[in-house]
Amino acid sequence: MTTTLKNKHDAILAAALDLFADNGFHCAPISQVAAMAGVGVGSIYRYFKDKDELVHAVFAKVDDSLLQSITTSKDPTLSGRCEFIHLVTALIHYLDTHPQEYKFFEQYYNSPYGLENKRAKFLQENIADKSNPFLNIFSDNKNCLRQDLTLPVYLAMTFGPVSFLLRESLSGLVTLDEAMIQQTAEASWNAIKA
Amino acid sequence: MTTTLKNKHDAILAAALDLFADNGFHCAPISQVAAMAGVGVGSIYRYFKDKDELVHAVFAKVDDSLLQSITTSKDPTLSGRCEFIHLVTALIHYLDTHPQEYKFFEQYYNSPYGLENKRAKFLQENIADKSNPFLNIFSDNKNCLRQDLTLPVYLAMTFGPVSFLLRESLSGLVTLDEAMIQQTAEASWNAIKA
DNA sequence: CCTAGCGGAATGAACGTTCAGTCAGTTTCT
DNA sequence: AGAAACTGACTGAACGTTCATTCCGCTAGG
């Protein structure tokens, strides 16, 4: 029934997230996803046309929950600097405490799967739509930021260090504590502030 | 002859680099590598025990040429800030003009293949050996740098933005020009300077 | 009893790897 | 010197495995 159907659908997505994140797309056979989801192999093809569609569905779900988690923690009374640091630390916290999601993102964006989405996000970013809170900060605080830098540099100085640190953390090479996260966010701000 | 042998060896490495970079490890079959190298499939197994060994051999070669290209361009008379910016711009230039090498690095480090090497590099970094010129800058300019930041944060603020920008450049979302590269290097320095 | 949802064996394509045969070059024999 | 035997790098068809996808028999709810 609908409830059963929904549950299987979600079970498949959850299992796929775990296995894709841990093993990569090509080392996570559908049979394994089915086994972990407690579902027959054939059932996966009832819910998803093929493996590609499953991958994109997992991305859509994970992307959605990340965006929600980041945007809900926003506080509009803060200064630009505080808002920025708050947002960066929230992002790092979310991804560091959701390693499966982060590992999936890395896999996805570094594969042909993610290219179209990446392009779409970037175009979104250029028109500064409301779905990316960082872009609002950049445009709301133009006077606090170095004017000679272009948007790609803002993005590089913001997301580059985040991505780098999270990778090291996931590899077990670094343990992220409150201080290190705070320092990274501050350093990012120092990199782009006027 | 020896020359023939050397040439086939190199031809296989070159073909493997191209195909691994463009298609990823699992979408670059040995048969295709052999075809592009102008070599029989079986010959690859004369030079490399298996596909894994081939992957690691490609990495060793690429890693070596990157390190050489970066270190030879070093100028010890410069100030810490200039030296840092010089090194960062050299790194970006090399990787942006060697997209196959960069794409291979990304693939390699984001896969089980790269984990051990990554760990090894990181441990090397902690003992500040001479093979990584960035570490020398960090240790030679302690007084110019923010003392509250730890090494992982230095590394994140240095390599994170580089990695981010190169990815955008390779995706065709950004065209890196001299100004943008310079600005990124400067911003990285501003992030970590005292 | 029927039907929609389900499971997992079956299928075929693609892959990494192997191995028996080929052949150019070298050595040995007459 | 010429022929015969040998050597080993080289090849690609063949093998076994793994995977995504299909398909048909089964089950449970109505």
Side-chain angles (χ1 to χ4, degrees):
Chain A
M1 291 299 89
T2 302
T3 58
T4 309
L5 201 136
K6 192 73 168 60
N7 284 343
K8 293 214 185 210
H9 186 271
D10 287 355
I12 293 167
L13 281 180
L17 171 60
D18 267 3
L19 289 170
F20 290 161
D22 284 336
N23 306 338
F25 298 130
H26 78 283
C27 284
I30 290 287
S31 59
Q32 215 177 329
V33 174
M36 179 177 275
V39 152
V41 175
S43 300
I44 290 185
Y45 289 87
R46 299 202 67 75
Y47 296 98
F48 305 97
K49 185 175 130 283
D50 53 21
K51 196 178 183 179
D52 285 12
E53 191 175 296
L54 174 59
V55 169
H56 288 299
V58 172
F59 171 76
K61 186 186 173 185
V62 170
D63 192 48
D64 190 59
S65 63
L66 167 63
L67 194 66
Q68 284 212 336
S69 167
I70 295 300
T71 50
T72 54
S73 67
K74 197 181 163 186
D75 179 348
T77 66
L78 296 173
S79 73
R81 180 180 184 277
C82 285
E83 203 185 338
F84 177 87
I85 289 174
H86 189 248
L87 211 49
V88 171
T89 54
L91 178 63
I92 297 179
H93 266 128
Y94 179 85
L95 291 174
D96 197 44
T97 54
H98 296 73
Q100 300 304 88
E101 276 84 345
Y102 180 68
K103 281 188 273 184
F104 179 86
F105 273 124
E106 286 278 348
Q107 301 263 355
Y108 185 80
Y109 279 121
N110 286 314
S111 77
Y113 288 121
L115 240 187
E116 53 192 276
N117 271 78
K118 199 165 162 183
R119 205 171 295 271
K121 266 203 195 300
F122 193 80
L123 294 180
Q124 267 190 11
E125 285 170 355
N126 276 338
I127 59 170
D129 84 315
K130 293 290 163 190
S131 79
N132 188 330
F134 284 97
L135 296 173
N136 295 330
I137 295 187
F138 293 149
S139 56
D140 292 350
N141 295 278
K142 273 189 161 33
N143 50 322
C144 311
L145 297 175
R146 274 185 60 178
Q147 294 297 323
D148 57 329
L149 303 184
T150 55
L151 180 59
V153 180
Y154 289 150
L155 296 171
M157 300 311 299
T158 305
F159 295 112
V162 170
S163 162
F164 188 93
L165 264 193
L166 286 167
R167 273 193 237 183
E168 305 261 298
S169 171
L170 278 176
S171 308
L173 301 175
V174 163
T175 303
L176 294 184
D177 55 14
E178 218 48 60
M180 200 180 289
I181 294 175
Q182 184 75 18
Q183 284 166 9
T184 303
E186 286 173 8
S188 280
W189 179 260
N190 287 340
I192 62 174
K193 74 173 180 188
Chain B
M1 292 283 90
T2 303
T3 59
T4 307
L5 201 135
K6 190 72 168 58
N7 284 344
K8 293 214 186 213
H9 186 270
D10 287 357
I12 293 167
L13 281 181
L17 170 60
D18 267 3
L19 289 170
F20 289 160
D22 285 335
N23 306 339
F25 298 129
H26 75 103
C27 285
I30 289 286
S31 58
Q32 214 177 328
V33 175
M36 179 177 275
V39 151
V41 175
S43 300
I44 291 185
Y45 290 88
R46 297 203 65 76
Y47 294 100
F48 306 97
K49 188 176 129 282
D50 53 20
K51 196 178 182 178
D52 284 11
E53 192 175 295
L54 175 58
V55 169
H56 288 300
V58 172
F59 171 76
K61 186 186 174 185
V62 170
D63 192 47
D64 190 58
S65 62
L66 167 63
L67 194 65
Q68 284 211 339
S69 167
I70 295 298
T71 51
T72 54
S73 66
K74 198 182 163 185
D75 179 349
T77 67
L78 296 173
S79 73
R81 179 180 184 277
C82 285
E83 202 186 339
F84 177 86
I85 289 174
H86 189 248
L87 210 50
V88 172
T89 54
L91 178 63
I92 297 180
H93 267 128
Y94 179 86
L95 291 174
D96 196 43
T97 53
H98 296 74
Q100 299 304 86
E101 276 84 345
Y102 179 69
K103 281 188 271 183
F104 180 86
F105 273 125
E106 286 279 348
Q107 299 263 357
Y108 185 80
Y109 279 121
N110 286 314
S111 77
Y113 288 121
L115 239 187
E116 52 192 275
N117 271 77
K118 200 166 160 183
R119 206 172 294 273
K121 265 202 195 300
F122 194 81
L123 294 180
Q124 265 188 11
E125 286 169 351
N126 276 338
I127 61 171
D129 83 316
K130 294 290 161 190
S131 79
N132 187 330
F134 284 97
L135 297 173
N136 295 331
I137 295 188
F138 293 148
S139 57
D140 291 351
N141 296 278
K142 274 189 162 35
N143 49 322
C144 310
L145 297 174
R146 276 184 60 177
Q147 293 297 321
D148 56 330
L149 303 184
T150 56
L151 179 59
V153 179
Y154 290 149
L155 295 172
M157 300 311 301
T158 304
F159 295 111
V162 169
S163 163
F164 187 93
L165 264 193
L166 287 166
R167 272 193 237 184
E168 305 260 300
S169 171
L170 278 176
S171 309
L173 302 175
V174 164
T175 303
L176 294 184
D177 55 14
E178 219 48 58
M180 201 181 287
I181 294 175
Q182 183 74 19
Q183 283 165 10
T184 303
E186 286 172 8
S188 281
W189 178 260
N190 287 340
I192 62 174
K193 74 174 180 187

